[in-house]
Amino acid sequence: MTRAWAVGLDMGGTNIRCAAVSVAGDVLLIEHGPSLASRKAGDVAENIAAQTLHLLDTARRRGLGSPRAIGVAVPGPLNVHTGTVMQAPHVAAWRGYPLRSKLEVLIGRKVVLDNDANAWALGEYWRGAARGRRDVVLLTLGTGVGGGLIVGGKLVHGRSGMAGELGHVTVNPEGPPCDCGSNGCLEAYASASGLRGLVEARLGLRPGSPLPEQIVDSEKNFSVRGLSAQARRGDEIALEAFATAGHYLGIAIASFLNIFNPELVVIGGGVAGALPYMRKTMTAQVRERAFTAAASQAKIVQAALGPRGGVVGAAYAALHPATRP
Amino acid sequence: MTRAWAVGLDMGGTNIRCAAVSVAGDVLLIEHGPSLASRKAGDVAENIAAQTLHLLDTARRRGLGSPRAIGVAVPGPLNVHTGTVMQAPHVAAWRGYPLRSKLEVLIGRKVVLDNDANAWALGEYWRGAARGRRDVVLLTLGTGVGGGLIVGGKLVHGRSGMAGELGHVTVNPEGPPCDCGSNGCLEAYASASGLRGLVEARLGLRPGSPLPEQIVDSEKNFSVRGLSAQARRGDEIALEAFATAGHYLGIAIASFLNIFNPELVVIGGGVAGALPYMRKTMTAQVRERAFTAAASQAKIVQAALGPRGGVVGAAYAALHPATRP
């Protein structure tokens, strides 16, 4: 007897993860490939379809049979009703692109599409830190800041599926510019690009200038891991940058507590590993700004699933159509 | 044949409105009384019960028979599961007060309890500006700022019913003190007390100082109506205060649009009448800070029901237990 399963595919700016996920949420099989995000709109979609078909083939050969459903998570605001990507930060060619219908033609099956942060939130809800909770605010602190909202056990999509852009609440109207075109968003502080900006400002560097070697990776790109290592060594600039990011993260979380009265705030993404360096200033702002009753009811915890959260959640979305808008 | 109906009671800081509301949302009968909010905890509850029993008596005499359900709305954060008022801004004696069980004993029937802003939101959803909408952010700009959230056609309560405190999102971490103990909350700008503070600051007055006669009522209290009249006459200080309030209201609304992707933002309460003087700066911030796709999908409109919204919504809450957490 084969186990019932679904495809969960998670496309990032660089890589695609494509997995067979059982109806219990176990990853039975996982494959990796490039996103090819800089290609033409149709080519990027064809690449997703090809990786899905490859997984289906591998699964068949391993005796898993056919999936019950196919879930695909991609970055960026999209309309979950129409399956159209409004605008994807990493895929310049996708602007108003009808991704779901393209994939359905290429794969020959129904596809459930959602954005990557929502998929990750569903993953944490199904199998991670938010398991069994009904009211959860989830934040991914990565290159940018994404979010997912679970209210009453359901993902909040809003009118067209764009809800949950928690990185783009204003935490300081006088704050630095944000990649979204506004300024003083949470993302302008508590993301990799926000931290980079804080370090640049502190060092008096113009945006995009070469950075000290301790805080860049082998390709000379800013590295949150490098900044964390500096903080661990007691470097003042690194500690200050994390303290500032934590301060504004706390301001945002206090607002979320007052808005949602959640049971749990889950923080994931690459920057979440540096939470120890942000927690003090974060907690101070939460204490100062959230209603005590709301704050005392919500724990603030790190995500549990890591990079597999997206594929697990994409599979969950596909397997649970009742959670769709 | 008698019409099916419910009691909807709305308690404010000064007055109680108690109505018989038909299952279609029509107010069949309404009575008014004092809140007696400064009395002892038990006396305030007995007063609510007495006014409810009075309405039941009047309804019986008018041939309306018995209600299907009883809904009571009171100010301040409360736990909707336990029926406990955590802390009520106008009723000093209610701190952790088990209001629902007290009322149920006094009235001899089951009571559905919610906070006043949530009740008003349900009223607007049932019979007002948000009729037929499924994703709505509702803001009451009164003495303070309250909020109600409708997501997927249901009121958001959060873990214990404290969700929707939209007046206490931070819109400026360097902003003026708020009655909640924090600072720079939306309420510190876009409420009657926020506007008063803006005028005091502009005039160089200490908080609570006597104000110019044009902007106080007959009891020498600050009057938003008076400030609006001054704005209509072109008074610079009044226009500036509303422009600042609108600016921060716009910052908050932009965040709500990015968080919820709603179909509609409804603004009610006494300060909403001054929206024409706030709209320009509000709209500028919304344009600057919200995702275009989210902003273009949501209208920002004034509430439709006025002061009866609370009783209509309290009755709705009582009649629709499926909307309860």
Side-chain angles (χ1 to χ4, degrees):
Chain A
M1 195 188 106
T2 56
R3 276 200 272 186
W5 59 283
V7 173
L9 183 145
D10 183 18
M11 175 184 164
T14 312
N15 295 304
I16 284 179
R17 287 185 180 84
C18 187
V21 181
S22 80
V23 291
D26 297 312
V27 174
L28 307 175
L29 182 65
I30 188 161
E31 297 182 339
H32 300 81
S35 296
L36 309 182
S38 58
R39 302 273 179 95
K40 281 187 289 181
D43 293 352
V44 186
E46 273 177 30
N47 178 54
I48 294 176
Q51 298 207 29
T52 305
L53 293 168
H54 190 275
L55 182 92
L56 295 182
D57 191 50
T58 312
R60 219 172 289 123
R61 282 187 290 103
R62 301 244 185 124
L64 286 173
S66 288
R68 276 206 194 162
I70 298 176
V72 170
V74 299
L78 51 86
N79 185 318
V80 290
H81 299 294
T82 62
T84 305
V85 180
M86 320 293 286
Q87 170 179 0
H90 307 296
V91 189
W94 282 353
R95 294 190 83 89
Y97 185 73
L99 180 61
R100 188 175 63 207
S101 59
K102 298 283 181 188
L103 291 178
E104 289 182 339
V105 169
L106 292 165
I107 298 170
R109 289 195 50 157
K110 190 172 162 347
V111 167
V112 168
L113 193 67
D114 211 328
N115 83 50
D116 49 2
N118 281 348
W120 167 77
L122 287 174
E124 290 289 332
Y125 172 69
W126 192 20
R127 293 281 305 217
R131 212 194 290 213
R133 308 297 186 132
R134 294 184 56 76
D135 292 281
V136 190
V137 172
L138 303 102
L139 282 166
T140 46
L141 314 181
T143 310
V145 172
L149 295 168
I150 310 266
V151 165
K154 288 193 177 177
L155 193 66
V156 176
H157 274 107
R159 179 167 187 174
S160 68
M162 291 184 54
E165 288 291 348
L166 305 183
H168 302 283
V169 297
T170 300
V171 290
N172 180 7
E174 310 299 326
C178 181
D179 288 341
C180 74
S182 178
N183 73 294
C185 296
L186 173 60
E187 178 169 306
Y189 293 101
S191 65
S193 64
L195 285 163
R196 184 195 165 107
L198 291 170
V199 170
E200 285 169 344
R202 179 64 166 72
L203 294 174
L205 298 172
R206 295 174 59 166
S209 305
L211 291 165
E213 61 176 13
Q214 298 92 331
I215 58 170
V216 294
D217 61 19
S218 57
E219 286 164 354
K220 303 287 179 200
N221 291 317
F222 172 68
S223 156
V224 172
R225 197 173 296 202
L227 194 69
S228 294
Q230 285 297 94
R232 203 177 315 123
R233 288 184 203 108
D235 177 75
E236 207 175 293
I237 289 169
L239 288 168
E240 261 180 38
F242 284 124
T244 302
H247 176 86
Y248 288 103
L249 179 59
I251 289 175
I253 289 175
S255 291
F256 299 146
L257 294 174
N258 289 343
I259 294 173
F260 292 105
N261 180 203
E263 300 172 75
L264 201 67
V265 177
V266 181
I267 302 180
V271 178
L275 214 49
Y277 306 113
M278 302 192 277
R279 199 173 267 275
K280 194 176 155 194
T281 49
M282 178 187 89
T283 307
Q285 288 303 306
V286 168
R287 287 224 178 100
E288 190 171 321
R289 297 180 180 279
F291 283 110
T292 310
S296 65
Q297 289 172 5
K299 279 193 184 154
I300 303 172
V301 301
Q302 284 200 36
L305 292 189
R308 288 190 174 189
V311 297
V312 172
Y316 182 87
L319 286 166
H320 297 82
T323 67
R324 315 305 300 162
Chain B
M1 194 188 108
T2 55
R3 277 199 273 185
W5 60 282
V7 174
L9 184 146
D10 183 19
M11 176 184 161
T14 313
N15 295 303
I16 284 179
R17 289 186 180 84
C18 187
V21 180
S22 78
V23 291
D26 297 311
V27 174
L28 307 174
L29 182 64
I30 188 161
E31 297 182 339
H32 300 81
S35 297
L36 308 182
S38 57
R39 302 271 180 94
K40 282 188 289 183
D43 294 351
V44 186
E46 275 178 30
N47 178 52
I48 293 175
Q51 297 207 30
T52 305
L53 293 168
H54 191 274
L55 182 92
L56 295 181
D57 192 49
T58 312
R60 220 172 288 122
R61 283 187 289 102
R62 301 243 184 124
L64 287 173
S66 288
R68 276 206 193 161
I70 298 176
V72 170
V74 300
L78 52 86
N79 186 317
V80 291
H81 299 294
T82 62
T84 304
V85 180
M86 318 294 285
Q87 169 180 0
H90 308 298
V91 189
W94 283 352
R95 294 190 83 89
Y97 185 73
L99 180 62
R100 187 175 64 207
S101 59
K102 298 285 182 186
L103 291 178
E104 289 182 338
V105 168
L106 292 165
I107 298 170
R109 288 194 52 157
K110 189 172 164 346
V111 167
V112 169
L113 194 67
D114 211 326
N115 84 49
D116 49 2
N118 281 348
W120 166 78
L122 287 175
E124 289 290 332
Y125 173 68
W126 193 19
R127 293 281 305 217
R131 212 195 289 214
R133 308 295 186 133
R134 294 184 57 77
D135 293 282
V136 190
V137 173
L138 302 102
L139 283 165
T140 47
L141 314 181
T143 309
V145 172
L149 295 168
I150 310 268
V151 165
K154 288 194 176 175
L155 194 66
V156 176
H157 275 107
R159 179 167 188 174
S160 69
M162 291 184 54
E165 289 290 349
L166 305 184
H168 302 283
V169 297
T170 300
V171 290
N172 181 6
E174 308 299 327
C178 181
D179 289 341
C180 75
S182 179
N183 74 294
C185 296
L186 173 59
E187 178 168 306
Y189 293 102
S191 66
S193 64
L195 284 164
R196 185 197 164 107
L198 291 171
V199 170
E200 286 168 344
R202 180 62 167 72
L203 294 174
L205 298 172
R206 295 174 58 166
S209 305
L211 291 166
E213 60 175 15
Q214 298 92 331
I215 58 168
V216 295
D217 62 19
S218 57
E219 286 163 354
K220 303 285 177 201
N221 291 317
F222 172 68
S223 158
V224 172
R225 197 173 295 202
L227 194 69
S228 294
Q230 284 297 94
R232 205 176 313 123
R233 288 184 203 108
D235 178 75
E236 206 176 291
I237 290 168
L239 288 168
E240 261 181 38
F242 284 123
T244 302
H247 176 86
Y248 288 104
L249 178 58
I251 289 174
I253 288 176
S255 291
F256 299 146
L257 294 175
N258 289 344
I259 294 171
F260 292 105
N261 180 204
E263 302 172 74
L264 201 67
V265 177
V266 181
I267 302 180
V271 178
L275 214 50
Y277 306 114
M278 301 192 278
R279 199 172 268 275
K280 195 175 153 193
T281 48
M282 177 187 91
T283 306
Q285 288 303 305
V286 168
R287 287 223 179 101
E288 190 169 321
R289 296 180 181 281
F291 283 109
T292 310
S296 65
Q297 289 171 6
K299 278 193 183 153
I300 303 173
V301 301
Q302 283 201 32
L305 292 188
R308 288 189 172 190
V311 297
V312 172
Y316 182 88
L319 286 166
H320 297 83
T323 67
R324 316 304 300 163

